[in-house]
Amino acid sequence: MWHNKALQFALGAAVVAAFALSTQPSYAQQPYGPNDAPNLYKFNYGWAKLPDRRKFGAVVGVDIDRDGKSVWAFDRCESATDCSKSMLDPIMKFDETGKLVKSLGGGMINYSHGLHVDKDNNVWVSDGRAMNNGKGHTVFKFDQNGKLLMTLGKPGVAGVGQDTFSEPSDILVAPNGDIFVADGHGGPQSNHRIVKFDKDGKFIKEWGKKGDGQGEFNVPHNLAMDSRGRLFVADRANNRIQVFDQDGKYLLQWRQFGRPSGLFIDKNDMLYVADNSPDETNPPYRSGIRSGSVRDGIVRSFILESVEVNGVEAVAVDDAGNVYGGYTNTLNLRRWTPKTPVATR
């Protein structure tokens, strides 16, 4: 009798466990291999147009204006690494035809990196390096006309305190105005943390350290947020995306999008991930842009990097579904358009 009850209990527990597992999203199960998802986009050659004699530097930041169609890009002023020696404006706005309509930030940036446009259409950028000129390791907030509204960090000073950064990589402003900074780009002085501030720039908290465990980072390179308010972190050198709530509680990680350099989540909760790594860094994943819904984590499209190997660093998507990639090797801003119209909700 006891054995029968024990068997019934064990079978019941197994059924409950199986049901619980069946209701959980299976992020590991993908309909395609790492490089096999279809390319749903066509390349627009020569979309971005610069004035005569102006050339792109490494385009390391891309985002969409609140109008849903204009594109902001952040480059390194015709240089591979250094904007400080140039008075060119590294922050540029392009209209939907690719025409440059606005630029700002000349003479203020050493090492261009992250770019974010908040809900009020303010433009945030990070300066990731100091060069003995009183600049760098900072985050700037500009209005659309280039007026400096806020500075986070101490210019030219690397640190791990509440008011210092070391190689800040990206910025994201939540709908309530809280500011998140991905602090660290992997250099010898780099931090590996996420820092949270309120809308006025007052320190709230930080989390993370160098490592590969849950909530640890090795180059937190880019940030995005979905409609549920979850914070996505491109943990680049760990070949994964980590997802947190806004208090830093670890929720999950995804590796199926490759080695993430750039992240973007559109209004339909589609996640786009720029993977610019050499193939041997994260085999068998190849360089390109993968996309899939944040609701199930399944990769459904892959723009295979055929224009340039290991080059696409930043990604953004406008309301019409056009995909923009910022390039660090051939120094360019490129666009792909959907092969079929994109449904919006």
Side-chain angles (χ1 to χ4, degrees):
M1 184 71 172
W2 181 87
H3 290 289
N4 288 338
K5 287 184 177 180
L7 179 61
Q8 290 173 358
F9 177 81
L11 289 172
V15 169
V16 170
F19 177 79
L21 286 172
S22 70
T23 62
Q24 298 298 313
S26 181
Y27 300 120
Q29 294 179 2
Q30 297 289 317
Y32 306 103
N35 310 305
D36 297 334
N39 182 3
L40 305 180
Y41 302 88
K42 55 185 178 181
F43 177 57
N44 292 172
Y45 181 80
W47 174 81
K49 304 169 185 67
L50 288 173
D52 290 343
R53 296 181 296 278
R54 172 66 157 102
K55 298 178 181 179
F56 279 117
V59 180
V60 288
V62 184
D63 205 354
I64 306 300
D65 191 84
R66 292 309 97 187
D67 67 10
K69 55 187 179 181
S70 302
V71 180
W72 287 89
F74 191 29
D75 87 332
R76 293 182 183 150
C77 308
E78 303 183 2
S79 166
T81 58
D82 187 1
C83 259
S84 66
K85 297 177 182 178
S86 169
M87 289 304 293
L88 294 173
D89 290 336
I91 307 167
M92 296 171 283
K93 181 180 181 179
F94 297 84
D95 69 13
E96 61 269 34
T97 71
K99 178 183 177 182
L100 179 66
V101 294
K102 187 175 291 188
S103 65
L104 53 104
M108 299 184 66
I109 308 292
N110 284 336
Y111 188 72
S112 305
H113 209 277
L115 178 145
H116 171 70
V117 180
D118 69 21
K119 65 181 180 65
D120 298 318
N121 235 8
N122 298 305
V123 181
W124 299 72
V125 298
S126 67
D127 185 353
R129 290 181 184 172
M131 296 181 180
N132 298 317
N133 58 3
K135 303 172 187 177
H137 300 308
T138 45
V139 167
F140 294 130
K141 174 186 178 182
F142 295 97
D143 71 10
Q144 289 259 326
N145 296 314
K147 180 181 178 180
L148 182 62
L149 303 177
M150 183 185 294
T151 300
L152 297 176
K154 294 181 178 179
V157 178
V160 72
Q162 297 182 5
D163 60 351
T164 54
F165 304 119
S166 187
E167 303 181 15
S169 289
D170 199 27
I171 322 96
L172 184 141
V173 181
N176 69 350
D178 286 346
I179 305 159
F180 296 87
V181 177
D183 185 23
H185 193 259
Q189 291 184 304
S190 175
N191 296 327
H192 299 268
R193 61 176 181 166
I194 305 299
V195 191
K196 180 179 179 180
F197 304 87
D198 70 12
K199 62 182 179 62
D200 299 315
K202 181 180 178 182
F203 175 87
I204 296 176
K205 68 182 305 179
E206 66 174 86
W207 71 89
K209 62 179 182 178
K210 187 171 184 180
D212 57 9
Q214 292 182 357
E216 298 175 345
F217 305 104
N218 192 351
V219 188
H221 198 263
N222 205 246
L223 302 172
M225 185 171 285
D226 69 5
S227 65
R228 294 166 56 185
R230 299 183 299 176
L231 183 68
F232 287 62
V233 181
D235 188 11
R236 185 166 74 173
N238 281 326
N239 300 327
R240 65 183 179 179
I241 297 167
Q242 292 196 75
V243 185
F244 303 87
D245 71 14
Q246 293 184 39
D247 291 319
K249 178 183 177 182
Y250 171 87
L251 301 176
L252 57 92
Q253 69 176 16
W254 288 341
R255 294 184 179 272
Q256 63 269 26
F257 288 88
R259 182 179 172 92
S261 280
L263 305 177
F264 187 88
I265 298 176
D266 71 10
K267 294 180 179 180
N268 296 314
D269 267 346
M270 289 296 292
L271 170 66
Y272 297 79
V273 182
D275 179 350
N276 79 340
S277 61
D279 294 345
E280 64 270 16
T281 303
N282 187 29
Y285 287 87
R286 298 182 65 184
S287 180
I289 299 173
R290 295 177 177 85
S291 62
S293 174
V294 300
R295 295 164 188 161
D296 58 19
I298 295 175
V299 177
R300 289 183 167 85
S301 177
F302 179 42
I303 302 174
L304 178 64
E305 189 45 87
S306 58
V307 177
E308 174 199 347
V309 175
N310 312 326
V312 60
E313 170 114 352
V315 63
V317 183
D318 66 21
D319 287 359
N322 301 307
V323 178
Y324 301 86
Y327 281 74
T328 57
N329 286 356
T330 56
L331 314 179
N332 215 330
L333 173 64
R334 296 190 168 112
R335 183 172 86 155
W336 296 263
T337 56
K339 293 178 180 177
T340 57
V342 175
T344 58
R345 62 183 183 184

